[in-house]
Amino acid sequence: MLRLTLPRVLVALVAVLLLTYAFAVAPRTADPLGGGVGSDVAATSRPSASPPPPPPAAEPEVFPPAGKVFIGVTTHEGAYDFDAVDEFTRAAKHQPQVMLFSADWASGRFDRSLFDRVADRGMMPMLAWEPWDYRIDEKAREQGLPLRQIDEIRSDQPDYRLARIAAGDLDDYLLSWADGIGSLGYPVAIRFGHEMNGDWYPWSEATNGNRPGDYVRAWRHLHDLFRTAGATNVTWVWSPNVQWDDSTTPLKSLYPGDAYVDWLGLSGYYGTGYFSDYRNFDEIFGDTIGELRTFTERPLVITETAAADDNGRKVEWIRETFRLLPRHRDIIGVIWFEVDKELDWRIVSSPASASAFAQAVAAPRYDLRWSPEMVPRSRIGD
């Protein structure tokens, strides 16, 4: 049997201490870059650091934001000359957020600069795209013909029959626009064939040899052609005239469907035709809005409106209109027809009209901006 003596005990204790240092202390004190004792163990036993997760992508802003209503403008010269827009802006003391301008299919060719000029001024471009030869209308007006005779002349343009559009006969021309608009990189609204429920344009089903159902077929063909071409930055605006009596075409029969329409539009004026006598905004627009709501809940834009002053009540109409508008939560925009045509619809027609308009649009609900990064609203409640 091994005898325990003091020297043996001391040797054993020293051995234990050396082993403890080698396996426990040295790995933690060795230089990790110098290859000291235990450095390999330490390097392999540390957990690897994971990179922080990327921040969630910000949701794009909706235009217009909830609770806001944009103010737009259209002028005679459109995107070719902004003098009238600047005059309107000064009179209104308000920067419009949308500009509506038109192009016909006979003389209009895609021109990127027109859209860029509008967007560079902080306005979303809205194209009133009209399948006709506008020069026929201009020539008839220059002859001083009665308005109804002008309507009859300009609405007879068989080259632009709706059936030809739907059949693809004009696709080469349409694709040139689809490719151009799709390349813009920011949202554009297209208001194709407006006021189709009247009888004064060649794209009405009541004129130009068109038949019931042709308008919807032409609209859907145009929409699908743009989609196939990759022009997915288009907000499609379906825009009838306000209904004026029981003889007008039911709007539902002209509606392409929610899958083909993003915004509803309406044209309506105080001071002309059926609405020559004083009628407030609700009396002009109310019944038609009610009809629309029987078959669609898309957001609504008043794409053309204004008041004449033949009865001396233009200022009153402007003030009353903007008092009534907040009752219509489905209306997301109002575009003023700043044109002196047949009657002077402009707010700059008098200091009183300009002042009434400026006071109205100074309300917080019209205080907003448009930018190319924003996404056009597609539902009322967004």
Side-chain angles (χ1 to χ4, degrees):
M1 177 180 294
L2 185 64
R3 266 183 83 185
L4 291 177
T5 64
L6 181 57
R8 288 189 179 125
V9 171
L10 290 174
V11 171
L13 287 173
V14 170
V16 170
L17 290 173
L18 288 173
L19 288 172
T20 301
Y21 177 83
F23 290 99
V25 179
R28 290 196 294 270
T29 58
D31 180 0
L33 299 179
V37 177
S39 61
D40 291 342
V41 176
T44 57
S45 63
R46 290 194 195 103
S48 60
S50 299
E59 289 290 331
E61 273 189 89
V62 175
F63 177 79
K68 298 288 188 176
V69 174
F70 70 74
I71 297 297
V73 65
T74 186
T75 66
H76 182 266
E77 298 299 331
Y80 291 97
D81 187 330
F82 286 88
D83 286 349
V85 176
D86 293 340
E87 191 176 7
F88 172 87
T89 302
R90 287 192 296 269
K93 300 177 182 178
H94 185 91
Q95 165 66 45
Q97 299 91 18
V98 171
M99 182 175 179
L100 172 67
F101 63 96
S102 61
D104 73 323
W105 288 16
S107 60
R109 297 293 180 268
F110 176 77
D111 182 351
R112 181 187 179 112
S113 68
L114 299 178
F115 295 87
D116 286 345
R117 287 173 201 161
V118 175
D120 289 347
R121 286 170 169 257
M123 298 181 290
M124 178 180 175
M126 182 183 292
L127 172 67
W129 212 20
E130 303 171 351
W132 67 333
D133 186 342
Y134 180 72
R135 294 166 295 191
I136 294 174
D137 175 78
E138 282 191 325
K139 185 176 180 181
R141 290 179 185 278
E142 289 170 359
Q143 295 172 1
L145 302 174
L147 290 180
R148 286 307 295 170
Q149 188 174 351
I150 293 173
D151 290 345
E152 291 173 3
I153 292 171
R154 71 181 187 177
S155 63
D156 182 21
Q157 300 193 36
D159 287 347
Y160 302 99
R161 280 190 181 136
L162 293 169
R164 295 198 71 220
I165 299 172
D169 294 351
L170 304 175
D171 278 4
D172 287 346
Y173 173 74
L174 303 182
L175 279 169
S176 69
W177 280 80
D179 291 339
I181 289 176
S183 71
L184 289 174
Y186 52 78
V188 170
I190 292 182
R191 180 189 182 222
F192 164 71
H194 63 287
E195 299 173 15
M196 76 300 290
N197 56 325
D199 61 358
W200 47 86
Y201 287 125
W203 52 84
S204 163
E205 290 185 351
T207 63
N208 203 29
N210 298 320
R211 298 172 178 269
D214 280 351
Y215 184 84
V216 168
R217 285 187 284 270
W219 180 289
R220 290 178 176 175
H221 176 78
L222 180 61
H223 177 282
D224 290 345
L225 183 146
F226 267 65
R227 180 71 59 176
T228 301
T232 57
N233 57 324
V234 175
T235 294
W236 293 93
V237 186
W238 178 78
S239 182
N241 197 78
V242 291
Q243 304 282 57
W244 56 93
D245 60 31
D246 293 337
S247 68
T248 52
T249 305
L251 295 179
K252 187 176 182 179
S253 68
L254 299 169
Y255 188 60
D258 282 357
Y260 294 88
V261 173
D262 301 295
W263 289 353
L264 310 174
L266 278 179
S267 301
Y269 295 81
Y270 156 58
T272 184
Y274 183 78
F275 304 108
S276 295
D277 295 332
Y278 187 84
R279 288 178 171 82
N280 67 29
F281 178 88
D282 282 349
E283 290 170 324
I284 294 173
F285 288 91
D287 288 345
T288 308
I289 293 174
E291 183 179 351
L292 294 176
R293 293 306 173 213
T294 64
F295 57 85
T296 178
E297 291 297 322
R298 285 296 191 210
L300 174 60
V301 176
I302 305 302
T303 40
E304 286 185 37
T305 197
D309 208 19
D310 283 8
N311 296 332
R313 302 182 71 177
K314 181 172 186 171
V315 170
E316 178 185 355
W317 192 87
I318 292 172
R319 288 175 175 160
E320 188 171 14
T321 291
F322 283 93
R323 282 198 300 268
L324 293 172
L325 275 171
R327 301 181 184 179
H328 299 273
R329 62 179 297 272
D330 54 344
I331 294 178
I332 63 169
V334 177
I335 300 176
W336 193 266
F337 190 73
E338 188 70 1
V339 179
D340 184 357
K341 176 185 174 184
E342 300 156 4
L343 297 170
D344 193 348
W345 305 103
R346 302 171 302 161
I347 65 168
V348 301
S349 63
S350 73
S353 296
S355 177
F357 192 90
Q359 290 174 14
V361 299
R365 70 195 307 260
Y366 306 109
D367 182 14
L368 67 152
R369 66 179 185 88
W370 175 82
S371 74
E373 295 76 27
M374 301 178 85
V375 174
R377 175 183 297 281
S378 60
R379 294 182 300 177
I380 296 169
D382 283 349

